[in-house]
Amino acid sequence: PPTIVLHVYGRDAEGKAIDFTTEELRLTSNGTAVVPSITDSFPVGTFTVFLIDIPTGVEEQLPAIQDAIKQFASPGSGMQEQIDYIAIFQVGESGATQLLPPDNFYNSVQNFFVDDLAPETEATALIDSIVSVLDQVEELNPNPEMVSSVVVMSDGTDVVSTLNEPSDIITRTASLNMPIHTIWVDSTDLTFDGQQQGQAFLQEISDSSYGVATTLDNSEGLAEIWQHIAGFRERARVRYIIDDLTGGSFDVELSLASDPAISDSMFVEMPENQPQVDLMLPPGSDTITLPNLEEPLPVRLGATVTWLDGLDRGVSSVRVLVNGQDVGEVLVEEMDD
């Protein structure tokens, strides 16, 4: 204190990650407008679940499906090794089956596809499988700070799901605030009308969840999905200073100046016994020049220590740190003030 640091991410009207370095921010702390600053960003990672639908009719597309996932899990693509996580599920006759548990290594994905996947011999329950994956994503996510995404690779048709309706997918993605990206896979078993119906269904899912819809043979569309996912890897550090800090709970609200509707809020808990240390430096003495590194330079600082609840407490130990390194302890009983 009195510096508060917020870890922030957001998405725009198209579902893409907001670049906060290019946005003017508005921030209120405990009802008072303050001036925030963005100092830097840091990676927290992403979690991407691939749901592969491979019924009869898509066998010829299986190598392309595997290549697309391997492309995602490669340098310079959608996944960054040891930071981002990936999991793979397969649509079954009654629900989704986990093939690869959450993993953050490229080789794990490459090795997984050493043996080709076996297509389903019967019709697959696409809707029920999507909902079952959505129900598991939060539990599977290795780090709650990571943004989760689902990538569905399918011909978009489903005649066997009985547990859920398409509207259930939309309801769940809205409650989870999670995008579903869809990649349409051509099937030799479908008529032209069936192909259009499948594409329309996948497009609707992506549109309703702020995801991206494309086809398996569209390299630019795949790259757009990978870029969309990677855009949520970083968090912006937004800092602001409280002039008069007090203990207790206070609310913080952050919004875009260009679109105040894009906002979020949270509560900050400040312990009542939080200490504050003020160093009193004479004017102009905040910069020290060492003319000779071989001779010690005496430095004297005045300091006060207070607590937010106003109670008096004793100081039992004072340590000296230089550039973050602990260089020794000052005996309190030997200090004049």
Side-chain angles (χ1 to χ4, degrees):
T3 299
I4 305 296
V5 183
L6 309 176
H7 298 168
V8 182
Y9 77 96
R11 68 181 185 188
D12 59 20
E14 296 179 353
K16 298 179 180 179
I18 295 174
D19 182 1
F20 287 96
T21 61
T22 63
E23 295 284 348
E24 181 183 353
L25 302 177
R26 300 283 173 82
L27 193 149
T28 60
S29 180
N30 208 23
T32 302
V34 296
V35 179
S37 62
I38 298 179
T39 54
D40 59 355
S41 64
F42 66 102
V44 298
T46 61
F47 177 48
T48 306
V49 178
F50 279 86
L51 179 59
I52 309 171
D53 186 14
I54 45 177
T56 57
V58 302
E59 295 95 334
E60 297 179 358
Q61 301 295 318
L62 189 50
I65 290 174
Q66 296 177 164
D67 287 343
I69 299 177
K70 288 190 289 186
Q71 180 197 62
F72 173 82
S74 61
S77 193
M79 175 183 170
Q80 186 170 334
E81 190 172 40
Q82 299 190 61
I83 294 178
D84 301 326
Y85 280 78
I86 182 176
I88 302 175
F89 281 72
Q90 181 174 342
V91 178
E93 298 177 15
S94 59
T97 302
Q98 186 182 81
L99 302 179
L100 178 70
D103 201 288
N104 61 348
F105 287 96
Y106 295 147
N107 281 341
S108 298
V109 180
Q110 304 294 327
N111 294 337
F112 172 75
F113 286 117
V114 169
D115 298 323
D116 290 340
L117 299 178
E120 290 285 347
T121 57
E122 303 293 338
T124 53
L126 177 61
I127 297 174
D128 286 348
S129 295
I130 293 176
V131 173
S132 68
V133 166
L134 291 174
D135 289 341
Q136 300 177 63
V137 166
E138 287 188 313
E139 182 179 350
L140 290 170
N141 191 335
N143 179 359
E145 278 200 76
M146 296 193 297
V147 174
S148 298
S149 304
V150 175
V151 179
V152 177
M153 309 179 77
S154 170
D155 64 12
T157 62
D158 183 358
V159 295
V160 298
S161 287
T162 57
L163 300 177
N164 300 276
E165 300 292 335
S167 59
D168 294 325
I169 298 175
I170 298 175
T171 301
R172 278 171 168 76
T173 54
S175 64
L176 294 170
N177 196 24
M178 183 184 306
I180 294 184
H181 307 289
T182 58
I183 301 173
W184 183 77
V185 182
D186 190 12
S187 172
T188 56
D189 287 353
L190 295 180
T191 63
F192 178 74
D193 290 340
Q195 292 176 341
Q196 287 191 315
Q197 181 181 358
Q199 282 189 336
F201 173 66
L202 296 180
Q203 184 75 55
E204 180 184 8
I205 293 176
S206 292
D207 290 346
S208 64
S209 63
Y210 298 93
V212 176
T214 188
T215 59
L216 185 59
D217 60 356
N218 185 347
S219 59
E220 293 183 357
L222 296 179
E224 183 180 358
I225 293 178
W226 308 160
Q227 184 179 8
H228 189 289
I229 293 173
F232 289 94
R233 181 180 298 127
E234 301 281 334
R235 294 287 182 276
R237 283 193 177 99
V238 179
R239 300 173 184 265
Y240 71 95
I241 295 176
I242 297 179
D243 292 331
D244 186 17
L245 187 64
T246 59
S249 175
F250 58 93
D251 63 299
V252 178
E253 181 170 340
L254 182 71
S255 63
L256 299 185
S258 60
D259 188 353
I262 301 180
S263 65
D264 203 358
S265 60
M266 64 174 294
F267 281 93
V268 174
E269 297 289 340
M270 189 61 63
E272 294 284 350
N273 62 348
Q274 176 72 44
Q276 283 187 286
V277 178
D278 293 316
L279 301 179
M280 279 76 77
L281 301 178
S285 63
D286 53 345
T287 299
I288 298 176
T289 300
L290 302 179
N292 188 336
L293 297 181
E294 302 300 325
E295 296 181 6
L297 178 69
V299 176
R300 183 181 181 89
L301 300 177
T304 61
V305 183
T306 58
W307 284 263
L308 298 184
D309 55 15
L311 297 179
D312 291 331
R313 291 176 174 85
V315 178
S316 60
S317 177
V318 177
R319 304 202 66 82
V320 179
L321 287 83
V322 178
N323 289 337
Q325 299 297 316
D326 192 337
V327 298
E329 182 175 359
V330 179
L331 299 178
V332 176
E333 58 269 19
E334 295 181 4
M335 295 175 62
D336 295 332
D337 51 21

